[in-house]
Amino acid sequence: MTLSVRIKKALRSSGNRRNSESPGASAAQPFLLDVEFDVPPGFTILFGASGSGKTTTLRSISGIVRPDAGRIAINGEVLFDSAERIDLPIRRRGVGYVFQDLALFPHLTALANVEFGMSKVSRPERRLRAEAMMEALRISHAAGRKPREISGGEAQRVALARALAYQPRILLLDEPLSAIDEATRRGIISDLKSINRELRLPIIYVTHSRQEAVSLGERVIVYERGRVVAFGEPISVFGTPITASVARLTGVENIFTGQVVGKSEDAGTMTVEVSDATGACHVDVPFGNQALGEHVTVAVPSGDILLATEEPRSTSLRNRMRGKITAIDEELNRTVVRVNAGVIWSASVTRQAVSELALSEGQEVWLAFKTHSCYLVDRSS
Amino acid sequence: MAEIDWFPLALSLRVALIATVFVVIFGVALGWLLARRRFFGRELLDAAVTLPLVLPPTVLGYYLLVLLGRRSPIGQAIEAITGQSLVFTWEGAVVAAAIGALPLMVKTSRAAIASVDTNLEDAARTLGESELRVFWRVTMPLASRGIIAASMLAFARALGDFGATLMVAGNIPGRTQTAAIAIFDAAQAGRDNYALVLVLILSVVALVLVYSTNKLTTGER
């Protein structure tokens, strides 16, 4: 079972009109959604900023939105083809869709929600399937309750059970875990994994959480303003971002522009003077074909930067610099330390490390990272 | 006080009930069409359906007389099927009351249907449901408060129709004289007590209906 997608659609305003968090500035500009990709069985993560066309892609595949042009097929069976004027109605597509807002029927109980649809299945069989699916997703206890009487995590599982009980040929999940606490999220991710192992459906999973992408993704497709800008395994997509925008999207926080000031083919390195509003400093990056004096953009994942209270001597780390801590930002499950070492670097460390090293604002620390943690990325989108 | 003639009140109730049945069916269908389908002339249709609300009742009555009269194709067709004209019959009063009540029904059910999240309807479609089943199992239950409220308003409006009914059905005591017309008649003839009884009853019924409608539409969900 493979889903193949080719969609062109002019997006007039913000593509994600339901998403209040989408910033007006970039999303309000009209742009063209123009993508083409295949989705084999398993998880394919659709990754990108709000308003980049992810939800419109899902809506096109399910038939809710009609693309201006393109072709959508499951295993060669055409769902939509602008050239052949084929446009199957939503109900004939066999596409399971978990909406971002879940779209549970508020007037029906959880069980009735899961039983919904399947009008061609006999009543006892329908009940059986619904109950089995709710059992599998561990929400049997909520069967008799209305959507407003259950928790966010339970609602999520009900929506999932409803989509799966219908036995779709492919499954579309639109940011299913965005409004759920960490523990529940982990539980649902592990359930999703076992569903995936069992059913082997093509699953498209829209998210802008890097963590979800890495923990679920067999493949990642990165969108930016309606285009696919990166595609591949999560490790390679997130590990070696090829463009500055992919780097920014995937959470590589240190992105600086600079100029090549030295090249040493023997050492296999180049020296780049990078700068930001604060100042400038030198970093060693892998040797490349950039010329001396050429302008480049350097990206360094914050997790690759080592912090030390004394100078880390006798290591293989080529980049060592002294700086002063300007801020320590607590985030969900990590701590980001901002260090001024000419430019402001962001290093993400664990909370334990912060307390063990007794890090505090204003303190002098050493930063160190490998040459190969520095990626030269294209400056254009 | 002399024996009270209950016929006009009973006739009004019968006319209003039957008119409401038609108004609900056509009003919900039109409301759905206006709320959910994009087509050329949609707002023009909405305006046309709203006209009875703002036109003088006599204008409405005049249109209906022309439309249902012996010289119009519609009037001739009705006469051919039923053997009699609708003009000056209580059935004619039903048509007049229904046309008068339709705008309220269409406006209110359009709003009620438009307020149903289209995502829910799309979700039902992704689960293999046909348009008709989507309407009955999702749209209708979720718009039901508004539609029930609209039906009650339509009934109240149909109960009180005067001008158009008078022109189409006339004022034949014991046959087409509804309560609203009987009040006019009684007041003219100086039978003030009789007029007052009918006035009070119609007022109370209208108050109860409008109060319940407000409760339904603004009450907690």
Side-chain angles (χ1 to χ4, degrees), chain A residues 184-211:
Chain A
T184 313
R185 185 191 309 236
R186 244 177 261 139
I188 294 180
I189 283 182
S190 91
D191 284 346
L192 280 172
K193 280 181 175 168
S194 58
I195 287 168
N196 179 35
R197 271 195 300 275
E198 206 172 306
L199 301 176
R200 292 310 286 173
L201 298 174
I203 302 174
I204 301 185
Y205 187 106
V206 165
T207 185
H208 40 225
S209 152
R210 191 179 173 184
Q211 192 194 343

PDB file of all heavy atoms in Angstrom, chain A residues 184-211:
ATOM      1  N   THR A 184       1.139  11.644  28.887  1.00  0.00           N
ATOM      2  CA  THR A 184       0.104  11.102  28.012  1.00  0.00           C
ATOM      3  C   THR A 184       0.639  10.974  26.595  1.00  0.00           C
ATOM      4  O   THR A 184       0.392   9.992  25.902  1.00  0.00           O
ATOM      5  CB  THR A 184      -1.116  12.041  28.003  1.00  0.00           C
ATOM      6  OG1 THR A 184      -1.429  12.376  29.337  1.00  0.00           O
ATOM      7  CG2 THR A 184      -2.303  11.375  27.359  1.00  0.00           C
ATOM      8  N   ARG A 185       1.413  11.977  26.191  1.00  0.00           N
ATOM      9  CA  ARG A 185       1.980  11.984  24.858  1.00  0.00           C
ATOM     10  C   ARG A 185       2.851  10.751  24.623  1.00  0.00           C
ATOM     11  O   ARG A 185       2.739  10.078  23.616  1.00  0.00           O
ATOM     12  CB  ARG A 185       2.818  13.252  24.690  1.00  0.00           C
ATOM     13  CG  ARG A 185       3.378  13.462  23.311  1.00  0.00           C
ATOM     14  CD  ARG A 185       4.394  14.581  23.336  1.00  0.00           C
ATOM     15  NE  ARG A 185       3.852  15.768  23.979  1.00  0.00           N
ATOM     16  CZ  ARG A 185       3.791  16.968  23.404  1.00  0.00           C
ATOM     17  NH1 ARG A 185       4.228  17.122  22.182  1.00  0.00           N
ATOM     18  NH2 ARG A 185       3.315  17.997  24.058  1.00  0.00           N
ATOM     19  N   ARG A 186       3.683  10.440  25.624  1.00  0.00           N
ATOM     20  CA  ARG A 186       4.571   9.293  25.478  1.00  0.00           C
ATOM     21  C   ARG A 186       3.760   8.002  25.336  1.00  0.00           C
ATOM     22  O   ARG A 186       4.080   7.146  24.531  1.00  0.00           O
ATOM     23  CB  ARG A 186       5.530   9.201  26.671  1.00  0.00           C
ATOM     24  CG  ARG A 186       6.973   9.381  26.243  1.00  0.00           C
ATOM     25  CD  ARG A 186       7.897   9.353  27.432  1.00  0.00           C
ATOM     26  NE  ARG A 186       8.249  10.700  27.844  1.00  0.00           N
ATOM     27  CZ  ARG A 186       8.326  11.104  29.106  1.00  0.00           C
ATOM     28  NH1 ARG A 186       8.053  10.277  30.089  1.00  0.00           N
ATOM     29  NH2 ARG A 186       8.668  12.334  29.375  1.00  0.00           N
ATOM     30  N   GLY A 187       2.666   7.893  26.151  1.00  0.00           N
ATOM     31  CA  GLY A 187       1.803   6.717  26.072  1.00  0.00           C
ATOM     32  C   GLY A 187       1.190   6.568  24.696  1.00  0.00           C
ATOM     33  O   GLY A 187       1.174   5.479  24.120  1.00  0.00           O
ATOM     34  N   ILE A 188       0.694   7.689  24.142  1.00  0.00           N
ATOM     35  CA  ILE A 188       0.027   7.610  22.844  1.00  0.00           C
ATOM     36  C   ILE A 188       1.039   7.314  21.745  1.00  0.00           C
ATOM     37  O   ILE A 188       0.765   6.544  20.833  1.00  0.00           O
ATOM     38  CB  ILE A 188      -0.756   8.924  22.555  1.00  0.00           C
ATOM     39  CG1 ILE A 188      -1.906   9.062  23.563  1.00  0.00           C
ATOM     40  CG2 ILE A 188      -1.314   8.913  21.143  1.00  0.00           C
ATOM     41  CD1 ILE A 188      -2.760  10.288  23.398  1.00  0.00           C
ATOM     42  N   ILE A 189       2.245   7.879  21.873  1.00  0.00           N
ATOM     43  CA  ILE A 189       3.275   7.590  20.874  1.00  0.00           C
ATOM     44  C   ILE A 189       3.582   6.101  20.846  1.00  0.00           C
ATOM     45  O   ILE A 189       3.683   5.499  19.777  1.00  0.00           O
ATOM     46  CB  ILE A 189       4.556   8.426  21.149  1.00  0.00           C
ATOM     47  CG1 ILE A 189       4.319   9.858  20.685  1.00  0.00           C
ATOM     48  CG2 ILE A 189       5.760   7.830  20.428  1.00  0.00           C
ATOM     49  CD1 ILE A 189       5.501  10.781  20.843  1.00  0.00           C
ATOM     50  N   SER A 190       3.654   5.481  22.032  1.00  0.00           N
ATOM     51  CA  SER A 190       3.987   4.053  22.024  1.00  0.00           C
ATOM     52  C   SER A 190       2.813   3.242  21.472  1.00  0.00           C
ATOM     53  O   SER A 190       3.010   2.239  20.782  1.00  0.00           O
ATOM     54  CB  SER A 190       4.436   3.589  23.414  1.00  0.00           C
ATOM     55  OG  SER A 190       3.333   3.130  24.147  1.00  0.00           O
ATOM     56  N   ASP A 191       1.568   3.703  21.730  1.00  0.00           N
ATOM     57  CA  ASP A 191       0.414   3.027  21.122  1.00  0.00           C
ATOM     58  C   ASP A 191       0.414   3.191  19.599  1.00  0.00           C
ATOM     59  O   ASP A 191       0.112   2.255  18.866  1.00  0.00           O
ATOM     60  CB  ASP A 191      -0.897   3.579  21.694  1.00  0.00           C
ATOM     61  CG  ASP A 191      -1.168   3.059  23.098  1.00  0.00           C
ATOM     62  OD1 ASP A 191      -0.497   2.080  23.497  1.00  0.00           O
ATOM     63  OD2 ASP A 191      -2.022   3.622  23.796  1.00  0.00           O
ATOM     64  N   LEU A 192       0.755   4.387  19.156  1.00  0.00           N
ATOM     65  CA  LEU A 192       0.815   4.626  17.717  1.00  0.00           C
ATOM     66  C   LEU A 192       1.844   3.706  17.065  1.00  0.00           C
ATOM     67  O   LEU A 192       1.627   3.165  15.982  1.00  0.00           O
ATOM     68  CB  LEU A 192       1.202   6.085  17.432  1.00  0.00           C
ATOM     69  CG  LEU A 192       0.085   7.122  17.538  1.00  0.00           C
ATOM     70  CD1 LEU A 192       0.643   8.535  17.436  1.00  0.00           C
ATOM     71  CD2 LEU A 192      -0.959   6.896  16.453  1.00  0.00           C
ATOM     72  N   LYS A 193       2.954   3.513  17.768  1.00  0.00           N
ATOM     73  CA  LYS A 193       3.990   2.640  17.223  1.00  0.00           C
ATOM     74  C   LYS A 193       3.489   1.215  17.077  1.00  0.00           C
ATOM     75  O   LYS A 193       3.761   0.552  16.077  1.00  0.00           O
ATOM     76  CB  LYS A 193       5.233   2.666  18.122  1.00  0.00           C
ATOM     77  CG  LYS A 193       6.100   3.879  17.905  1.00  0.00           C
ATOM     78  CD  LYS A 193       7.306   3.810  18.818  1.00  0.00           C
ATOM     79  CE  LYS A 193       8.257   4.963  18.538  1.00  0.00           C
ATOM     80  NZ  LYS A 193       9.272   5.079  19.603  1.00  0.00           N
ATOM     81  N   SER A 194       2.741   0.735  18.093  1.00  0.00           N
ATOM     82  CA  SER A 194       2.286  -0.652  17.969  1.00  0.00           C
ATOM     83  C   SER A 194       1.184  -0.778  16.927  1.00  0.00           C
ATOM     84  O   SER A 194       1.107  -1.791  16.218  1.00  0.00           O
ATOM     85  CB  SER A 194       1.872  -1.224  19.330  1.00  0.00           C
ATOM     86  OG  SER A 194       0.858  -0.448  19.888  1.00  0.00           O
ATOM     87  N   ILE A 195       0.349   0.264  16.789  1.00  0.00           N
ATOM     88  CA  ILE A 195      -0.651   0.253  15.708  1.00  0.00           C
ATOM     89  C   ILE A 195       0.062   0.168  14.366  1.00  0.00           C
ATOM     90  O   ILE A 195      -0.320  -0.587  13.473  1.00  0.00           O
ATOM     91  CB  ILE A 195      -1.504   1.548  15.761  1.00  0.00           C
ATOM     92  CG1 ILE A 195      -2.467   1.483  16.947  1.00  0.00           C
ATOM     93  CG2 ILE A 195      -2.271   1.746  14.456  1.00  0.00           C
ATOM     94  CD1 ILE A 195      -3.132   2.799  17.249  1.00  0.00           C
ATOM     95  N   ASN A 196       1.126   0.933  14.249  1.00  0.00           N
ATOM     96  CA  ASN A 196       1.893   0.966  13.008  1.00  0.00           C
ATOM     97  C   ASN A 196       2.499  -0.400  12.692  1.00  0.00           C
ATOM     98  O   ASN A 196       2.425  -0.883  11.567  1.00  0.00           O
ATOM     99  CB  ASN A 196       2.981   2.024  13.132  1.00  0.00           C
ATOM    100  CG  ASN A 196       3.835   2.112  11.886  1.00  0.00           C
ATOM    101  OD1 ASN A 196       3.321   1.921  10.776  1.00  0.00           O
ATOM    102  ND2 ASN A 196       5.109   2.396  12.052  1.00  0.00           N
ATOM    103  N   ARG A 197       3.042  -1.044  13.727  1.00  0.00           N
ATOM    104  CA  ARG A 197       3.644  -2.370  13.514  1.00  0.00           C
ATOM    105  C   ARG A 197       2.589  -3.360  13.048  1.00  0.00           C
ATOM    106  O   ARG A 197       2.835  -4.201  12.193  1.00  0.00           O
ATOM    107  CB  ARG A 197       4.280  -2.874  14.816  1.00  0.00           C
ATOM    108  CG  ARG A 197       5.729  -2.444  14.982  1.00  0.00           C
ATOM    109  CD  ARG A 197       6.408  -3.244  16.075  1.00  0.00           C
ATOM    110  NE  ARG A 197       5.764  -3.074  17.381  1.00  0.00           N
ATOM    111  CZ  ARG A 197       6.053  -2.059  18.207  1.00  0.00           C
ATOM    112  NH1 ARG A 197       6.949  -1.162  17.872  1.00  0.00           N
ATOM    113  NH2 ARG A 197       5.440  -1.956  19.363  1.00  0.00           N
ATOM    114  N   GLU A 198       1.385  -3.223  13.627  1.00  0.00           N
ATOM    115  CA  GLU A 198       0.332  -4.184  13.335  1.00  0.00           C
ATOM    116  C   GLU A 198      -0.286  -3.963  11.961  1.00  0.00           C
ATOM    117  O   GLU A 198      -0.485  -4.889  11.190  1.00  0.00           O
ATOM    118  CB  GLU A 198      -0.755  -4.048  14.400  1.00  0.00           C
ATOM    119  CG  GLU A 198      -1.551  -5.307  14.624  1.00  0.00           C
ATOM    120  CD  GLU A 198      -2.460  -5.104  15.827  1.00  0.00           C
ATOM    121  OE1 GLU A 198      -1.947  -4.727  16.903  1.00  0.00           O
ATOM    122  OE2 GLU A 198      -3.667  -5.287  15.659  1.00  0.00           O
ATOM    123  N   LEU A 199      -0.595  -2.704  11.650  1.00  0.00           N
ATOM    124  CA  LEU A 199      -1.376  -2.434  10.442  1.00  0.00           C
ATOM    125  C   LEU A 199      -0.528  -2.116   9.218  1.00  0.00           C
ATOM    126  O   LEU A 199      -0.957  -2.359   8.094  1.00  0.00           O
ATOM    127  CB  LEU A 199      -2.344  -1.263  10.695  1.00  0.00           C
ATOM    128  CG  LEU A 199      -3.343  -1.466  11.831  1.00  0.00           C
ATOM    129  CD1 LEU A 199      -4.158  -0.208  12.045  1.00  0.00           C
ATOM    130  CD2 LEU A 199      -4.269  -2.637  11.515  1.00  0.00           C
ATOM    131  N   ARG A 200       0.632  -1.544   9.418  1.00  0.00           N
ATOM    132  CA  ARG A 200       1.494  -1.142   8.307  1.00  0.00           C
ATOM    133  C   ARG A 200       0.726  -0.341   7.254  1.00  0.00           C
ATOM    134  O   ARG A 200       0.758  -0.651   6.055  1.00  0.00           O
ATOM    135  CB  ARG A 200       2.180  -2.349   7.658  1.00  0.00           C
ATOM    136  CG  ARG A 200       3.204  -3.028   8.537  1.00  0.00           C
ATOM    137  CD  ARG A 200       4.196  -2.095   9.153  1.00  0.00           C
ATOM    138  NE  ARG A 200       5.201  -1.573   8.219  1.00  0.00           N
ATOM    139  CZ  ARG A 200       6.084  -0.628   8.555  1.00  0.00           C
ATOM    140  NH1 ARG A 200       6.069  -0.107   9.765  1.00  0.00           N
ATOM    141  NH2 ARG A 200       6.960  -0.201   7.683  1.00  0.00           N
ATOM    142  N   LEU A 201       0.006   0.670   7.698  1.00  0.00           N
ATOM    143  CA  LEU A 201      -0.656   1.587   6.775  1.00  0.00           C
ATOM    144  C   LEU A 201       0.312   2.719   6.463  1.00  0.00           C
ATOM    145  O   LEU A 201       1.156   3.043   7.290  1.00  0.00           O
ATOM    146  CB  LEU A 201      -1.867   2.243   7.451  1.00  0.00           C
ATOM    147  CG  LEU A 201      -3.025   1.427   7.937  1.00  0.00           C
ATOM    148  CD1 LEU A 201      -3.989   2.330   8.675  1.00  0.00           C
ATOM    149  CD2 LEU A 201      -3.702   0.794   6.747  1.00  0.00           C
ATOM    150  N   PRO A 202       0.146   3.351   5.304  1.00  0.00           N
ATOM    151  CA  PRO A 202       0.842   4.627   5.141  1.00  0.00           C
ATOM    152  C   PRO A 202       0.211   5.641   6.110  1.00  0.00           C
ATOM    153  O   PRO A 202      -0.999   5.835   6.098  1.00  0.00           O
ATOM    154  CB  PRO A 202       0.551   5.024   3.689  1.00  0.00           C
ATOM    155  CG  PRO A 202       0.154   3.747   3.015  1.00  0.00           C
ATOM    156  CD  PRO A 202      -0.536   2.935   4.070  1.00  0.00           C
ATOM    157  N   ILE A 203       1.033   6.210   6.979  1.00  0.00           N
ATOM    158  CA  ILE A 203       0.537   7.178   7.960  1.00  0.00           C
ATOM    159  C   ILE A 203       1.261   8.499   7.746  1.00  0.00           C
ATOM    160  O   ILE A 203       2.492   8.528   7.733  1.00  0.00           O
ATOM    161  CB  ILE A 203       0.786   6.702   9.402  1.00  0.00           C
ATOM    162  CG1 ILE A 203       0.114   5.347   9.655  1.00  0.00           C
ATOM    163  CG2 ILE A 203       0.290   7.748  10.406  1.00  0.00           C
ATOM    164  CD1 ILE A 203       0.436   4.747  11.013  1.00  0.00           C
ATOM    165  N   ILE A 204       0.507   9.563   7.531  1.00  0.00           N
ATOM    166  CA  ILE A 204       1.131  10.889   7.477  1.00  0.00           C
ATOM    167  C   ILE A 204       0.845  11.580   8.795  1.00  0.00           C
ATOM    168  O   ILE A 204      -0.305  11.675   9.230  1.00  0.00           O
ATOM    169  CB  ILE A 204       0.603  11.753   6.320  1.00  0.00           C
ATOM    170  CG1 ILE A 204       0.846  11.051   4.991  1.00  0.00           C
ATOM    171  CG2 ILE A 204       1.302  13.110   6.326  1.00  0.00           C
ATOM    172  CD1 ILE A 204       0.459  11.903   3.794  1.00  0.00           C
ATOM    173  N   TYR A 205       1.893  12.046   9.416  1.00  0.00           N
ATOM    174  CA  TYR A 205       1.792  12.622  10.756  1.00  0.00           C
ATOM    175  C   TYR A 205       2.329  14.047  10.703  1.00  0.00           C
ATOM    176  O   TYR A 205       3.508  14.267  10.487  1.00  0.00           O
ATOM    177  CB  TYR A 205       2.626  11.746  11.693  1.00  0.00           C
ATOM    178  CG  TYR A 205       2.541  12.064  13.160  1.00  0.00           C
ATOM    179  CD1 TYR A 205       1.830  11.240  14.023  1.00  0.00           C
ATOM    180  CD2 TYR A 205       3.201  13.165  13.695  1.00  0.00           C
ATOM    181  CE1 TYR A 205       1.774  11.514  15.372  1.00  0.00           C
ATOM    182  CE2 TYR A 205       3.141  13.444  15.049  1.00  0.00           C
ATOM    183  CZ  TYR A 205       2.431  12.607  15.884  1.00  0.00           C
ATOM    184  OH  TYR A 205       2.377  12.879  17.231  1.00  0.00           O
ATOM    185  N   VAL A 206       1.430  15.005  10.854  1.00  0.00           N
ATOM    186  CA  VAL A 206       1.846  16.408  10.800  1.00  0.00           C
ATOM    187  C   VAL A 206       2.251  16.875  12.191  1.00  0.00           C
ATOM    188  O   VAL A 206       1.545  16.642  13.161  1.00  0.00           O
ATOM    189  CB  VAL A 206       0.689  17.296  10.286  1.00  0.00           C
ATOM    190  CG1 VAL A 206       0.959  18.767  10.567  1.00  0.00           C
ATOM    191  CG2 VAL A 206       0.472  17.078   8.797  1.00  0.00           C
ATOM    192  N   THR A 207       3.393  17.504  12.278  1.00  0.00           N
ATOM    193  CA  THR A 207       3.802  18.019  13.585  1.00  0.00           C
ATOM    194  C   THR A 207       4.803  19.139  13.389  1.00  0.00           C
ATOM    195  O   THR A 207       5.394  19.287  12.327  1.00  0.00           O
ATOM    196  CB  THR A 207       4.438  16.911  14.449  1.00  0.00           C
ATOM    197  OG1 THR A 207       4.716  17.441  15.748  1.00  0.00           O
ATOM    198  CG2 THR A 207       5.731  16.388  13.843  1.00  0.00           C
ATOM    199  N   HIS A 208       4.975  20.007  14.401  1.00  0.00           N
ATOM    200  CA  HIS A 208       6.179  20.809  14.387  1.00  0.00           C
ATOM    201  C   HIS A 208       7.008  20.554  15.640  1.00  0.00           C
ATOM    202  O   HIS A 208       7.789  21.367  16.048  1.00  0.00           O
ATOM    203  CB  HIS A 208       5.966  22.308  14.115  1.00  0.00           C
ATOM    204  CG  HIS A 208       4.783  22.920  14.773  1.00  0.00           C
ATOM    205  ND1 HIS A 208       3.942  23.754  14.110  1.00  0.00           N
ATOM    206  CD2 HIS A 208       4.307  22.798  15.999  1.00  0.00           C
ATOM    207  CE1 HIS A 208       2.990  24.144  14.930  1.00  0.00           C
ATOM    208  NE2 HIS A 208       3.186  23.581  16.079  1.00  0.00           N
ATOM    209  N   SER A 209       6.794  19.355  16.220  1.00  0.00           N
ATOM    210  CA  SER A 209       7.642  18.956  17.327  1.00  0.00           C
ATOM    211  C   SER A 209       8.744  18.045  16.803  1.00  0.00           C
ATOM    212  O   SER A 209       8.503  16.987  16.243  1.00  0.00           O
ATOM    213  CB  SER A 209       6.819  18.220  18.386  1.00  0.00           C
ATOM    214  OG  SER A 209       7.633  17.310  19.085  1.00  0.00           O
ATOM    215  N   ARG A 210       9.975  18.487  17.003  1.00  0.00           N
ATOM    216  CA  ARG A 210      11.123  17.733  16.556  1.00  0.00           C
ATOM    217  C   ARG A 210      11.190  16.377  17.276  1.00  0.00           C
ATOM    218  O   ARG A 210      11.523  15.351  16.700  1.00  0.00           O
ATOM    219  CB  ARG A 210      12.345  18.566  16.908  1.00  0.00           C
ATOM    220  CG  ARG A 210      13.574  18.060  16.299  1.00  0.00           C
ATOM    221  CD  ARG A 210      14.715  18.942  16.667  1.00  0.00           C
ATOM    222  NE  ARG A 210      15.878  18.247  16.162  1.00  0.00           N
ATOM    223  CZ  ARG A 210      17.104  18.645  16.344  1.00  0.00           C
ATOM    224  NH1 ARG A 210      17.338  19.736  16.985  1.00  0.00           N
ATOM    225  NH2 ARG A 210      18.099  17.955  15.857  1.00  0.00           N
ATOM    226  N   GLN A 211      10.821  16.439  18.559  1.00  0.00           N
ATOM    227  CA  GLN A 211      10.882  15.236  19.384  1.00  0.00           C
ATOM    228  C   GLN A 211       9.942  14.145  18.841  1.00  0.00           C
ATOM    229  O   GLN A 211      10.316  12.985  18.718  1.00  0.00           O
ATOM    230  CB  GLN A 211      10.484  15.628  20.803  1.00  0.00           C
ATOM    231  CG  GLN A 211      10.751  14.595  21.854  1.00  0.00           C
ATOM    232  CD  GLN A 211      10.010  14.964  23.128  1.00  0.00           C
ATOM    233  OE1 GLN A 211       9.574  16.099  23.308  1.00  0.00           O
ATOM    234  NE2 GLN A 211       9.879  14.015  24.023  1.00  0.00           N
TER     235      GLN A 211
END
